[in-house]
Amino acid sequence: MDNFDLGQNDKTLCSLYNGQRVLFYATGVMRMFRYMDYIYSVYEERSFSRAAQKLHISQSSLSITVRRAEKKIGTQIFNRSTMPITLTDFGEKYIEAVKVIHTLQNDLDEYVLQLGSKIKGRVAIGASSFFSTHLLSNAILEFRRTYPDVRIELFDNVMPILEKRLDSSFIDLIISNTKKDEQYYDNILLFPDYLYLMISPELCPANISYKQRAEFKDIGKKVPTQGITLEKFGNVPFLLLHTGNNLRYCADMIMEEAKIHPPIVLEVDETMTLYPMTKSGMGAAIVGSYVISKLGAPSDALFFPLKSKIARRGTYINILKHKQITPALRLFVSYLKNAKH
């Protein structure tokens, strides 16, 4: 499970590992191992660029995060003068410690799983109608079969309202496509999502080659390796979500990159509304690969991968940082991370 706080009242974490008592003081853990999952990914991939792609963040952001961690620790973890990068002597010890922590976390998760139906509590979830229907419904059903004493409450609404409920602790977590400010939130990546231009052949400009389109069977299964920009779509009518949604933000930024201001024929609240209207040929729209894979495609729809860093995003669990994580909440997050999406 991702490294998020188990509670402010935890002073120490004690466990037995290979016959030796391992004692972590909470303040030391938070300072030295706060970014351990990022560092461990760089260690596994032996490359900042490959690790950044795996973590679904930019390479510059990952590099800054690791350097920040090294500065707080007071010594380097990686030797950047070698190709591929290698660990320093301290880095070797650090990675050994991270492996121990991962083992302890797995042991703790396994212990909690063995408690089975003894786990009780409430988990309040916020999500859009789309995620509620296509991501959470089966997950909640299966989770409740194993943990019938955990009460699940699902609130589906538009994202601005859900974010306010999260900030007030009315709900425990939200499912979104936004990686929120890490100073205030823990963002747990469920899976990557890639943006496509969805358009009917009648609306597609004549100078756009169909060879650039994606095969529907590959969307959500293969990472796009090339794409188009929107410079030639300036006169095409578009459908958008209302302001305040991550997809609207991404669409606005991609259009700004292309320096176009197309006519907006309709703005709606939900992807569940946007998608079928786009299928009807009312206008073009920017949609995510997960939506496409779940809602399907009409036989004549065209899907073009977009050539933009903004078109690579993720689907996240967002939780307030320093929130007390109950056993029920920890179990549900772990279950959702490992579920088939």
Side-chain angles (χ1 to χ4, degrees), residues 324-341:
Q324 183 175 357
I325 306 300
T326 64
L329 179 55
R330 172 177 280 277
L331 274 175
F332 184 79
V333 170
S334 180
Y335 180 84
L336 199 55
K337 276 188 62 182
N338 295 316
K340 183 178 179 181
H341 301 300

Side-chain angles (χ1 to χ4, degrees), residues 7 78 93 99 123 157-158 176 241 243 252 254 267 275-276 309 324-326 337:
F78 293 106
K93 295 294 184 182
K99 290 179 179 179
V123 177
N157 212 314
V158 293
S176 79
L241 294 185
T243 301
D252 286 346
I254 291 171
E267 297 183 27
Y275 195 82
K309 290 182 179 180
Q324 183 175 357
I325 306 300
T326 64
K337 276 188 62 182

Side-chain angles (χ1 to χ4, degrees), residues 186-197:
D186 287 302
N187 303 289
I188 303 166
L189 179 66
L190 291 176
F191 50 85
D193 191 54
Y194 303 95
L195 298 182
Y196 290 76
L197 175 69

Side-chain angles (χ1 to χ4, degrees), residues 111-179:
Y111 172 75
V112 174
L113 285 171
Q114 291 173 2
L115 296 177
S117 60
K118 296 178 184 178
I119 295 294
K120 298 181 179 181
R122 168 187 178 267
V123 177
I125 309 161
S128 66
S129 296
F130 171 76
F131 281 137
S132 296
T133 303
H134 295 279
L135 176 64
L136 292 171
S137 57
N138 288 336
I140 291 172
L141 177 63
E142 294 298 325
F143 182 83
R144 288 274 295 133
R145 286 174 178 167
T146 306
Y147 305 102
D149 293 327
V150 175
R151 187 173 82 256
I152 303 291
E153 296 182 13
L154 178 59
F155 300 89
D156 59 341
N157 212 314
V158 293
M159 198 51 58
I161 292 176
L162 293 176
E163 288 173 338
K164 290 180 181 178
R165 290 180 174 180
L166 178 67
D167 291 342
S168 67
S169 293
F170 179 79
I171 55 180
D172 298 309
L173 63 91
I174 59 175
I175 307 297
S176 79
N177 292 115
T178 302
K179 187 173 184 182

